[in-house]
Amino acid sequence: MPDYLDDLRLAHVLADAADAATTARFKALDLKVETKPDMTPVSEADKAAEELIRGRLQRARPRDAVLGEEYGIEGTGPRRWVIDPIDGTKNYVRGVPVWATLISLMEAGEGGYQPVVGVVSAPALGRRWWAAKGHGAFTGRNLTSATRIHVSRVGELADASFAYSSLSGWEERDRLDGFLDLSRQVWRTRAYGDFWPYMMVAEGSVDICAEPELSLWDMAANAIIVTEAGGTFTGLDGRPGPHSGDAAASNGLLHDELLGYLNPRS
């Protein structure tokens, strides 16, 4: 089995470059922000970071395909890098430090493309998380200064911490009643949003999290980090991996109950 460690090292180099570019424009008074057709914001920093990563991948991995939020898919083949240059752009443009660059390598297999490397770098928080298939999940400043992370062992919903993004998406998809029922059963709820709750699931400080509408670049890096930390990452339909257009992540012990509450019930 490939060890993917060279790819993981490259992902860290890409994240270092992206961090330098994004932090340089964070809280800039002249930051240019546009509205995309889906009514979500995109800043000049999003575009610059993705262009930077794509340029470096073209030199380092010219045979690999690249899929990014801002510039779509380029190339074909069994290996595909998936990039979200700034996950949490709404936070970024308002000066909230909860945003990150998400970089994942996905490889074709029997079940379609699956993530085998993931790096989530949140420079404004001073945090980075990463994983490679078969090697576990870690957090730290870099590869040589790292701590292995594991999901929690909380086995009862009454003791669980549940993280989410917002209420509106659940209501739009007729899942709000189940969401509210779940929130009443758990010990604690917090709307951290974006990449952060998945990283906290991987670290064991949050036990379950879910979002009702996501794109592949929002999920690929998170998925491999959660699963390598011993957790479970699926769509709300229970399909493993980041392909369902929504996500549920847990320590594994609470996953069936999480899905049971968040799927519409007749």
Side-chain angles (χ1 to χ4, degrees), residues 181-237:
D181 287 345
L182 174 61
S183 72
R184 297 182 183 107
Q185 297 301 315
V186 299
W187 168 65
R188 191 172 192 244
T189 63
R190 283 294 183 272
Y192 298 107
D194 301 307
F195 68 94
W196 207 7
Y198 301 97
M199 299 303 97
M200 287 191 279
V201 167
E203 290 183 324
S205 52
V206 164
D207 309 299
I208 53 176
C209 70
E211 290 182 88
E213 183 181 18
L214 293 166
S215 298
L216 181 61
W217 46 77
D218 297 313
M219 298 183 281
N222 295 336
I224 183 68
I225 294 171
V226 168
T227 54
E228 284 293 319
T232 300
F233 189 105
T234 72
L236 295 175
D237 57 6

Side-chain angles (χ1 to χ4, degrees), residues 4 6 29 41 58 76 95 100 114 118 145 147 196 203 233 251 259 265:
Y4 303 110
D6 284 343
L29 297 179
Q58 179 58 39
T76 60
Q114 295 297 333
S145 177
T147 301
W196 207 7
E203 290 183 324
F233 189 105
N251 63 5
L259 295 180
R265 288 166 284 174

Side-chain angles (χ1 to χ4, degrees), residues 4 37 57 64 68 79 93 103-104 117-118 153 164 170 196 200 207 213 227 232 239 247 250 254 256 260-261 264:
Y4 303 110
L57 281 171
D64 293 351
R79 289 164 47 97
V93 302
I103 301 169
S104 178
V117 167
R153 300 299 300 168
Y164 62 97
W170 299 104
W196 207 7
M200 287 191 279
D207 309 299
E213 183 181 18
T227 54
T232 300
R239 179 185 177 190
S250 76
L254 300 170
D256 289 345
Y261 276 97

